[in-house]
Amino acid sequence: MINVGIVGATGYGGRELLRLLCAHPQARITAAASTSVSGDPLAEELPAFKGLIDLEFETFDADSLAKRCDVVFVAVPGKASMAPVAALHEAGARVIDIGPDFRLRDLSLFERYYGVSHTAPELVEKAVYGFPAWYRESIAEADIIAVPGCYPASILTPLRPLVDAPVSSVPLVVDSVSGISGAGKSPSQAFHFPEMNENLKAYKIGNHQHIPEVEQELLNRFMVQFTPHVGPLTRGILTTITLRPKTLFDPAPFYNCYEKEPFIRVLGEGKLPDINQVRASNFCDFGWVCDKRTGNIILVSAIDNLLGGTAGMAVQCMNIRFGLEETAGLKWAGMTP
Amino acid sequence: MINVGIVGATGYGGRELLRLLCAHPQARITAAASTSVSGDPLAEELPAFKGLIDLEFETFDADSLAKRCDVVFVAVPGKASMAPVAALHEAGARVIDIGPDFRLRDLSLFERYYGVSHTAPELVEKAVYGFPAWYRESIAEADIIAVPGCYPASILTPLRPLVDAPVSSVPLVVDSVSGISGAGKSPSQAFHFPEMNENLKAYKIGNHQHIPEVEQELLNRFMVQFTPHVGPLTRGILTTITLRPKTLFDPAPFYNCYEKEPFIRVLGEGKLPDINQVRASNFCDFGWVCDKRTGNIILVSAIDNLLGGTAGMAVQCMNIRFGLEETAGLKWAGMTP
Amino acid sequence: MINVGIVGATGYGGRELLRLLCAHPQARITAAASTSVSGDPLAEELPAFKGLIDLEFETFDADSLAKRCDVVFVAVPGKASMAPVAALHEAGARVIDIGPDFRLRDLSLFERYYGVSHTAPELVEKAVYGFPAWYRESIAEADIIAVPGCYPASILTPLRPLVDAPVSSVPLVVDSVSGISGAGKSPSQAFHFPEMNENLKAYKIGNHQHIPEVEQELLNRFMVQFTPHVGPLTRGILTTITLRPKTLFDPAPFYNCYEKEPFIRVLGEGKLPDINQVRASNFCDFGWVCDKRTGNIILVSAIDNLLGGTAGMAVQCMNIRFGLEETAGLKWAGMTP
Amino acid sequence: MINVGIVGATGYGGRELLRLLCAHPQARITAAASTSVSGDPLAEELPAFKGLIDLEFETFDADSLAKRCDVVFVAVPGKASMAPVAALHEAGARVIDIGPDFRLRDLSLFERYYGVSHTAPELVEKAVYGFPAWYRESIAEADIIAVPGCYPASILTPLRPLVDAPVSSVPLVVDSVSGISGAGKSPSQAFHFPEMNENLKAYKIGNHQHIPEVEQELLNRFMVQFTPHVGPLTRGILTTITLRPKTLFDPAPFYNCYEKEPFIRVLGEGKLPDINQVRASNFCDFGWVCDKRTGNIILVSAIDNLLGGTAGMAVQCMNIRFGLEETAGLKWAGMTP
């Protein structure tokens, strides 16, 4: 049994970690830290866990967590995990961070997109990008794992294998639609139910903080024109990527590398995913169309944003890190309906 | 490992059984029968299971299923399970039926509400009503388990313990709102997305086929005025019950019987459930208000209709029947969000 | 042309008034007051009105409004309209209040349910309850019109004609489900999109502030057991009323009084409304079932909560008050889809 | 008063025409044809119109319609309007067709994308493309008006003014998300509520039948890479267009042509539309971002697909054709919420 702690357990990412870990056959939730509700029974704050988790929220204490937990998940908002990750690492804990603070290697990009200086630059180098398909071996030995963002997970899964493909230098066009859980639990006018129901909109065009993360993991081979959207659904990201080959090529062979990936499903040419098939699962499904008329390739991928690129991928990283069966606690099909 | 078969695996109830069983630590899905798509790979018909279940749909064959499976779940529409359940029983299989055909003891009520004669009346007597809280011991030895309906599960959980309470003879008023998955997978004008989105309506007032099931399991002590509704959500039932006590009483002591129930959460006076807290889980949450002004008690319960009263309760029955840990494969908190 | 002013024009009720009045053939929107955004162009704060309304929000000034407007709509939250209505009345304006402050005749009930003393008790007597079907003549001469609440509109339309019917003294059971726009525009955790999507819940059982309003307009003949719910839709209320006749009677003749009502559609026995048919319209549709088995009558009604019992009924009152065609600006069918 | 007839009045486009025309100050609905329900009272088939329209559906009869109606709207599915439009024209009626049959000048493209030969090629030449901003004068005299498709309306509004802008020859990337009403009223597995709620998907990539229409109206200056999506909303289209300028330019001046357009709202640089602001209105809102990093321009537009590019634009064409105020019956703000 792996003893796990979760920091920031009341947010949407943290709740999903609780949900996955409380049914995980080899994990025991030992500690849940949330300063705002510290001292309160977890099941009172989060009644979905009544009868399942019998813990009180505790104040963040790196030493105590490091002592009691084999691994600590950090699920706090962007820019807020630098400090606790550093403290936990210092205290000797293994850390899996689902936030963005340890993903960007180039700290000047971190500053530009997040608006603050990084307070633990030396740890950025130590952190491993928690994308199992490409970093499985490093993850297995990492002390700090930085789980990819949700948009990046949906974009990189179909794109990364194409870094060596004959693609033109025109920026790739990436249009994603995300469910609203991606914006977190804090209420706002924009995400008040009557404002988002029957609504859809684009936002942060050209300056979303996930752009440098995506380009970094594409090895800076491609420039990405990223337009995120939110729509009237809670979970899920559908990403549509239009890329311009130098000459039209068949992308299928590039995806052979995914043959044994337990949570990546390559649907193939002419087969398009939908969110329905991956909701509440750790899968990323994708397919594509080669458009002979235009000479373009259009890739479409689907994930559940709270699992892929968040809690599910984090648990997969934990499984790898601790030598468990990689799919332990994650063998869930998409919820249809 | 329990070898399980599922008959009617493409419907919404069947898919949810597949979803639960494919992640169940002690079950192995051995056969999935669905005559309409027999011969097709399951993962092609139901792409959510790609990479998880490597089976082909087979034609229903009672003998073959009985031979290969420790238990067979039957998940076909109402009136269609009499024949396969009888055949499976004859062939020696243990059967868990999530349909309505073996729930009503009084066959004249079956005829009146379902419009057909029962073709296996002798098996109705053998069948055990699969409500663990009241029939756990019989379930443990049953050859045929008839899992409660989804509305009945949401109504009976709070009401059954009150059969001996001082309630007046005025019919109980039960207003339920169900998600649309309860109507099954067949498309229809009524449940076409643009017709149900932003919509809500009542139907089958006073003649819904779940009424006699509810009254039977209330030991015919109460008459029930049941008004079902459908609303613009996929999963979940919220049931509001207004009962008229002879004199206002405290219902809490009646619920002591549920103290050790793993999937019934008694929230208490003034605490009301919502579907959010039980979605994608096997829990039934309920609470109540004693209204001093009117002298009434109002009980409100919430379930996920595809788990409670359907696939989740069916798996719980299987666990009981085979001496497994009762919560095996079901330790899931509600999905919030 | 009637010159109209709107106080509280940024709220959901106020916006719907703007929407209706800006397309009204005989009304001109002359002033929109909203202290929080005073000075801002209306079309910037509310971009849906760009190109339609060329006004700036102004600070509330009763004298100025009274001078420039033939009628002033007040659309501020409960308890907040006592002061502006009194000031406007004092300044000589005709006022249509869509809030609750001038609906309850019994001021002790106002205090009990709203938690404050009424600051303009003398005006409560002058105010006319803005339900055209019963108060059309008084509305035509009223200086202050208090438009019914949305729940009351949906409840009273089918029930009021039955006050003389042979109904038993058991409290009527009223279960309503409302869209979330009824809770207003302020964001909150409870109505954050991911919390309400796929969710449904009951609230304020037995103590909702609309109870005394309903009982008053039922002439205190019936006691009402009212359980409001919210569900995952933006607009609409579906109300299900279970009443216990002394002996079962045919309600149809009681509804003859509605024969000429332009916005009440009596669907009849066995015909049930749905929100779809009234969305974005001023109609209240209702039908019923006489349940011979239980001896009860179940009435079901549907309205769009932002029109019926809010902006639509307010405009209808204006039409009556100013001798316009009663349906002017309101001849809209429900939006299906 | 203009006497109007509607052919195909039970479909979603037809219903929206009924809804708009029944509140139009200068139109009278004289006839509604729908062969499938001919003889039935309109208000029984479409209960939203009870109390508003007192007609029976009639069988299609071109002569009779031509005699009684000043204009006939044809709202039948694609490929099905060639025959009735020809018959109506022959009978002397003025026709406004909301389907695709008379939009494509190049009949070989019609054959390729619609799979049938055109049966009234001589009328294609006579038909005027019903986009008021560019064809207002021709519309004013047209006998046959072919209202643009919903996707084209959302794409062409921001793009058409840029045909002379310095745009590179790389295909424009157009990703649209549509509400499900765009797929029409016929129920299907794909659009069954539980399959589309919380879902989103792309379809018909690179071969959607609106592609040649868009390219034609872009004067074949641009090639369009069009990826349509459907999401869990009933109404609305959000279109995101990524174009690659030769060198980055300011698009604002190109939109001066829209200054007096009553239903086109140019939001400007950095201002993005959302569906909320146009729902239930005839507006098309659009804005853009010039991305200095990539050198691209991203345009985003929003319409209500049942008004813009369908019933609303059709009524606008009628207003123009008959010399009415262009905005008559259409002065509606977006429904927020």
Side-chain angles (χ1 to χ4, degrees):
Chain A
M1 273 293 169
I2 311 289
N3 286 301
V4 306
I6 299 170
V7 176
T10 60
Y12 285 167
R15 290 188 210 176
E16 193 71 356
L17 280 166
L18 287 172
R19 198 174 74 87
L20 294 175
L21 290 167
C22 116
H24 192 288
Q26 286 153 289
R28 178 191 300 118
I29 300 172
T30 300
S34 178
T35 306
S36 65
V37 290
S38 136
D40 292 357
L42 185 148
E44 229 163 72
E45 181 66 20
L46 301 175
F49 293 95
K50 208 184 152 190
L52 291 169
I53 301 181
D54 188 22
L55 283 178
E56 285 177 11
F57 283 116
E58 50 190 72
T59 306
F60 175 74
D61 176 335
D63 287 324
S64 164
L65 287 170
K67 205 171 299 168
R68 292 144 62 212
C69 302
D70 298 301
V71 60
V72 180
F73 291 88
V74 177
V76 299
K79 299 184 274 186
S81 72
M82 289 182 279
V85 167
L88 286 162
H89 183 73
E90 167 94 25
R94 270 154 289 185
V95 183
I96 300 178
D97 182 18
I98 67 170
D101 296 9
F102 292 88
R103 296 178 197 150
L104 291 178
R105 309 266 143 239
D106 180 338
L107 295 178
S108 71
L109 287 174
F110 184 81
E111 272 198 55
R112 188 184 315 155
Y113 279 89
Y114 291 91
V116 296
S117 296
H118 206 290
T119 60
E122 71 291 355
L123 297 186
V124 171
E125 282 166 51
K126 289 198 178 175
V128 172
Y129 193 66
F131 205 114
W134 313 319
Y135 300 101
R136 189 169 275 111
E137 288 169 25
S138 310
I139 291 167
E141 302 181 343
D143 286 334
I144 301 176
I145 298 167
V147 179
C150 50
Y151 283 125
S154 78
I155 299 166
L156 293 168
T157 303
L159 265 187
R160 167 71 177 248
L162 303 182
V163 289
D164 292 322
V167 175
S168 91
S169 64
V170 172
L172 300 172
V173 177
V174 179
D175 285 333
S176 295
V177 183
S178 173
I180 300 164
S181 63
K185 72 166 181 176
S186 295
S188 65
Q189 195 65 59
F191 300 136
H192 189 42
F193 184 92
E195 307 284 332
M196 268 315 298
N197 190 30
E198 284 283 284
N199 198 6
L200 196 95
K201 58 185 167 191
Y203 68 104
K204 282 196 183 177
I205 295 183
N207 60 15
H208 192 280
Q209 66 276 10
H210 284 161
I211 293 171
E213 180 182 340
V214 167
E215 294 183 346
Q216 165 185 294
E217 294 302 321
L218 293 174
L219 311 180
N220 293 308
R221 304 277 179 82
F222 305 143
M223 185 175 261
V224 169
Q225 182 69 58
F226 177 47
T227 300
H229 303 70
V230 281
L233 62 167
T234 298
R235 284 169 176 249
I237 291 178
L238 195 91
T239 287
T240 300
I241 300 163
T242 304
L243 60 83
R244 184 134 197 85
K246 285 174 183 158
T247 54
L248 201 51
F249 63 89
D250 176 12
F254 292 90
Y255 297 128
N256 289 339
C257 60
Y258 285 157
E259 221 161 50
K260 297 195 171 161
E261 283 306 316
F263 297 115
I264 296 176
R265 298 191 290 208
V266 183
L267 306 182
E269 158 92 34
K271 299 213 174 124
L272 301 176
D274 59 358
I275 286 174
N276 227 17
Q277 305 299 334
V278 298
R279 184 169 58 237
S281 89
N282 196 42
F283 286 98
C284 178
D285 287 3
F286 70 91
W288 62 87
V289 168
C290 295
D291 187 338
K292 284 182 190 137
R293 196 183 74 98
T294 60
N296 285 340
I297 296 174
I298 297 93
L299 296 149
V300 185
S301 72
I303 61 166
D304 181 320
N305 62 303
L306 291 178
L307 283 124
T310 309
M313 204 173 264
V315 170
Q316 188 181 354
C317 287
M318 177 190 84
N319 291 343
I320 294 169
R321 178 64 185 78
F322 290 89
L324 312 179
E325 191 191 356
E326 190 168 328
T327 60
L330 296 169
K331 268 174 283 194
W332 287 87
M335 211 166 83
T336 58
Chain B
M1 274 292 170
I2 311 290
N3 287 302
V4 307
I6 300 171
V7 177
T10 59
Y12 286 167
R15 290 187 209 176
E16 192 71 357
L17 280 166
L18 288 171
R19 200 174 72 88
L20 294 174
L21 291 166
C22 118
H24 191 290
Q26 287 153 289
R28 178 191 300 117
I29 300 173
T30 300
S34 178
T35 306
S36 64
V37 289
S38 139
D40 292 357
L42 186 146
E44 229 162 72
E45 181 67 19
L46 303 175
F49 294 95
K50 209 185 153 191
L52 291 169
I53 301 182
D54 188 21
L55 284 178
E56 285 177 13
F57 283 115
E58 51 190 73
T59 307
F60 175 74
D61 175 335
D63 286 324
S64 164
L65 288 170
K67 206 171 296 170
R68 293 142 63 210
C69 302
D70 299 300
V71 61
V72 180
F73 291 88
V74 178
V76 297
K79 300 184 273 186
S81 71
M82 288 181 279
V85 168
L88 286 161
H89 183 73
E90 168 93 23
R94 269 154 290 185
V95 183
I96 299 178
D97 182 18
I98 67 170
D101 294 9
F102 293 88
R103 295 179 197 149
L104 290 179
R105 309 268 143 237
D106 181 339
L107 294 178
S108 70
L109 287 174
F110 184 82
E111 273 198 54
R112 189 183 316 155
Y113 280 89
Y114 291 91
V116 297
S117 295
H118 206 291
T119 60
E122 71 291 354
L123 296 186
V124 172
E125 280 167 52
K126 287 197 179 174
V128 172
Y129 194 67
F131 205 115
W134 313 319
Y135 299 101
R136 189 169 275 109
E137 288 170 25
S138 311
I139 291 167
E141 303 180 342
D143 286 333
I144 301 176
I145 297 168
V147 179
C150 51
Y151 283 126
S154 79
I155 299 166
L156 293 167
T157 303
L159 265 187
R160 167 72 175 247
L162 302 183
V163 288
D164 293 321
V167 175
S168 91
S169 63
V170 172
L172 299 172
V173 177
V174 179
D175 285 334
S176 294
V177 183
S178 174
I180 299 164
S181 63
K185 74 166 178 174
S186 294
S188 65
Q189 195 65 59
F191 301 135
H192 189 44
F193 185 92
E195 306 286 329
M196 268 315 298
N197 189 30
E198 282 283 285
N199 198 6
L200 196 95
K201 58 184 166 191
Y203 68 103
K204 282 198 184 176
I205 295 183
N207 61 14
H208 192 280
Q209 67 275 12
H210 284 162
I211 292 171
E213 179 182 340
V214 167
E215 294 184 345
Q216 165 185 296
E217 294 302 319
L218 294 174
L219 313 179
N220 293 308
R221 304 277 179 82
F222 304 144
M223 184 174 260
V224 168
Q225 182 69 59
F226 177 48
T227 300
H229 302 70
V230 280
L233 61 168
T234 297
R235 285 168 175 248
I237 291 178
L238 195 90
T239 287
T240 300
I241 300 164
T242 304
L243 61 81
R244 182 132 198 88
K246 285 174 182 158
T247 53
L248 201 50
F249 64 89
D250 176 12
F254 292 90
Y255 296 127
N256 289 340
C257 60
Y258 284 157
E259 220 161 50
K260 298 194 171 161
E261 283 305 317
F263 296 115
I264 296 176
R265 298 191 289 206
V266 184
L267 306 182
E269 159 93 34
K271 299 210 173 123
L272 301 177
D274 57 1
I275 286 173
N276 226 17
Q277 305 301 333
V278 299
R279 184 170 57 240
S281 88
N282 196 40
F283 287 98
C284 178
D285 287 3
F286 71 91
W288 62 87
V289 168
C290 295
D291 187 337
K292 285 185 188 133
R293 195 182 76 97
T294 60
N296 285 341
I297 296 173
I298 296 91
L299 295 150
V300 185
S301 73
I303 62 167
D304 181 319
N305 62 303
L306 290 179
L307 283 125
T310 308
M313 204 172 264
V315 170
Q316 188 181 353
C317 287
M318 177 191 83
N319 290 344
I320 293 169
R321 178 65 184 78
F322 290 89
L324 312 179
E325 192 191 354
E326 190 167 330
T327 60
L330 296 168
K331 267 175 284 194
W332 286 87
M335 212 166 83
T336 59
Chain C
M1 274 292 169
I2 311 290
N3 287 301
V4 307
I6 299 172
V7 176
T10 60
Y12 285 166
R15 290 187 208 176
E16 192 71 356
L17 280 167
L18 288 171
R19 199 174 73 89
L20 295 174
L21 290 166
C22 117
H24 192 289
Q26 288 152 288
R28 179 191 300 116
I29 300 172
T30 301
S34 177
T35 305
S36 64
V37 290
S38 140
D40 292 357
L42 186 147
E44 228 162 73
E45 180 67 19
L46 303 174
F49 293 96
K50 210 185 151 191
L52 290 169
I53 301 182
D54 188 21
L55 283 177
E56 285 178 10
F57 282 115
E58 51 190 73
T59 306
F60 175 74
D61 176 335
D63 286 323
S64 163
L65 287 170
K67 206 171 298 170
R68 294 144 62 212
C69 302
D70 298 301
V71 59
V72 180
F73 291 87
V74 178
V76 297
K79 300 185 274 187
S81 72
M82 289 182 280
V85 168
L88 286 161
H89 182 73
E90 168 92 22
R94 270 155 289 185
V95 183
I96 299 178
D97 182 19
I98 67 170
D101 296 8
F102 293 88
R103 295 179 198 149
L104 291 178
R105 308 267 143 237
D106 181 338
L107 294 178
S108 70
L109 287 173
F110 184 81
E111 273 199 53
R112 189 183 314 155
Y113 280 88
Y114 290 91
V116 296
S117 297
H118 207 289
T119 60
E122 71 291 355
L123 296 185
V124 172
E125 281 168 51
K126 287 198 179 174
V128 171
Y129 193 66
F131 204 113
W134 313 319
Y135 299 102
R136 188 170 275 111
E137 288 170 27
S138 311
I139 291 167
E141 303 182 342
D143 286 335
I144 302 175
I145 297 168
V147 178
C150 50
Y151 283 126
S154 79
I155 299 166
L156 293 168
T157 303
L159 266 187
R160 168 71 175 249
L162 302 183
V163 288
D164 293 321
V167 175
S168 90
S169 63
V170 173
L172 300 172
V173 177
V174 179
D175 286 333
S176 295
V177 183
S178 174
I180 299 163
S181 62
K185 74 166 177 174
S186 295
S188 65
Q189 195 66 59
F191 300 136
H192 188 43
F193 185 93
E195 307 284 331
M196 268 315 298
N197 189 30
E198 282 285 285
N199 197 7
L200 195 95
K201 59 185 166 189
Y203 68 103
K204 282 198 184 176
I205 295 184
N207 60 15
H208 192 280
Q209 66 277 10
H210 284 162
I211 292 171
E213 180 182 339
V214 167
E215 293 184 346
Q216 165 185 294
E217 294 301 320
L218 293 174
L219 312 180
N220 294 306
R221 302 278 178 83
F222 304 144
M223 185 175 260
V224 168
Q225 182 69 57
F226 177 49
T227 299
H229 303 70
V230 281
L233 60 168
T234 298
R235 285 168 174 249
I237 290 177
L238 195 91
T239 287
T240 299
I241 301 164
T242 304
L243 61 81
R244 183 132 199 86
K246 284 174 184 157
T247 54
L248 201 50
F249 64 89
D250 175 13
F254 291 90
Y255 297 127
N256 290 340
C257 59
Y258 284 157
E259 222 161 51
K260 298 194 171 162
E261 283 305 317
F263 296 115
I264 295 176
R265 298 191 289 207
V266 183
L267 306 182
E269 159 90 36
K271 299 211 174 124
L272 301 176
D274 59 358
I275 286 173
N276 228 16
Q277 305 300 333
V278 299
R279 183 170 57 237
S281 89
N282 196 40
F283 286 98
C284 178
D285 286 3
F286 71 91
W288 62 88
V289 168
C290 295
D291 188 338
K292 284 186 189 132
R293 195 182 77 96
T294 60
N296 286 340
I297 296 173
I298 297 90
L299 295 149
V300 185
S301 73
I303 62 168
D304 181 320
N305 62 304
L306 291 178
L307 283 125
T310 308
M313 205 172 264
V315 170
Q316 189 181 354
C317 287
M318 178 192 82
N319 290 344
I320 294 169
R321 178 63 185 78
F322 290 89
L324 312 178
E325 191 190 356
E326 189 167 330
T327 60
L330 296 169
K331 268 175 285 195
W332 287 86
M335 211 165 84
T336 59
Chain D
M1 273 293 170
I2 311 291
N3 287 301
V4 306
I6 299 170
V7 176
T10 61
Y12 285 167
R15 290 187 210 177
E16 193 71 355
L17 280 167
L18 288 171
R19 200 174 73 88
L20 294 174
L21 291 166
C22 116
H24 192 289
Q26 286 152 289
R28 178 192 300 117
I29 300 172
T30 300
S34 178
T35 306
S36 64
V37 290
S38 140
D40 292 357
L42 186 148
E44 228 162 73
E45 181 67 20
L46 302 174
F49 293 95
K50 210 186 150 189
L52 290 168
I53 301 183
D54 189 21
L55 283 177
E56 285 177 11
F57 282 114
E58 51 190 73
T59 306
F60 175 73
D61 175 336
D63 287 322
S64 164
L65 287 169
K67 206 171 298 169
R68 294 143 62 211
C69 302
D70 298 300
V71 60
V72 180
F73 292 88
V74 178
V76 298
K79 300 184 273 185
S81 71
M82 289 181 279
V85 167
L88 286 161
H89 183 71
E90 168 93 22
R94 270 155 289 185
V95 183
I96 299 178
D97 182 18
I98 67 172
D101 296 7
F102 293 88
R103 296 178 196 150
L104 290 179
R105 309 267 143 237
D106 181 339
L107 294 178
S108 71
L109 287 174
F110 184 82
E111 273 198 54
R112 189 184 316 154
Y113 280 89
Y114 291 91
V116 295
S117 296
H118 206 290
T119 60
E122 71 290 355
L123 297 185
V124 171
E125 281 167 50
K126 289 198 177 174
V128 172
Y129 194 66
F131 204 114
W134 314 318
Y135 300 100
R136 188 170 277 112
E137 287 169 28
S138 311
I139 291 167
E141 303 181 344
D143 286 334
I144 301 176
I145 298 167
V147 178
C150 50
Y151 283 126
S154 79
I155 298 166
L156 293 168
T157 303
L159 266 187
R160 168 71 176 247
L162 303 182
V163 288
D164 292 321
V167 175
S168 90
S169 64
V170 172
L172 299 172
V173 177
V174 179
D175 285 333
S176 296
V177 183
S178 173
I180 299 162
S181 63
K185 72 166 179 176
S186 294
S188 65
Q189 195 66 58
F191 301 136
H192 188 43
F193 185 93
E195 307 285 330
M196 269 314 299
N197 189 31
E198 284 284 284
N199 198 7
L200 196 95
K201 58 185 165 190
Y203 68 105
K204 282 196 184 177
I205 296 183
N207 60 15
H208 192 281
Q209 67 276 12
H210 284 162
I211 292 170
E213 180 182 338
V214 167
E215 293 184 345
Q216 165 185 291
E217 294 301 320
L218 293 174
L219 312 179
N220 293 308
R221 304 277 179 82
F222 305 144
M223 185 175 260
V224 169
Q225 182 69 58
F226 177 47
T227 299
H229 303 71
V230 280
L233 62 167
T234 298
R235 286 170 174 248
I237 291 177
L238 195 91
T239 287
T240 299
I241 300 163
T242 303
L243 62 82
R244 183 132 199 88
K246 285 173 182 157
T247 54
L248 201 51
F249 63 90
D250 176 12
F254 292 89
Y255 297 127
N256 289 340
C257 59
Y258 284 157
E259 221 161 48
K260 297 194 172 164
E261 283 305 317
F263 297 115
I264 296 176
R265 298 191 290 207
V266 183
L267 305 182
E269 158 91 35
K271 298 211 173 125
L272 301 177
D274 57 1
I275 286 174
N276 227 16
Q277 305 300 333
V278 299
R279 184 169 56 237
S281 89
N282 196 40
F283 287 98
C284 177
D285 287 4
F286 71 92
W288 62 88
V289 167
C290 295
D291 187 339
K292 286 185 188 130
R293 196 181 76 96
T294 59
N296 286 339
I297 297 174
I298 297 91
L299 295 149
V300 186
S301 72
I303 61 166
D304 181 319
N305 62 303
L306 291 178
L307 283 124
T310 308
M313 204 172 265
V315 170
Q316 188 182 353
C317 287
M318 177 191 81
N319 290 344
I320 294 169
R321 178 63 184 79
F322 290 88
L324 311 180
E325 191 190 356
E326 189 167 330
T327 61
L330 295 169
K331 268 175 283 193
W332 287 87
M335 212 165 82
T336 59

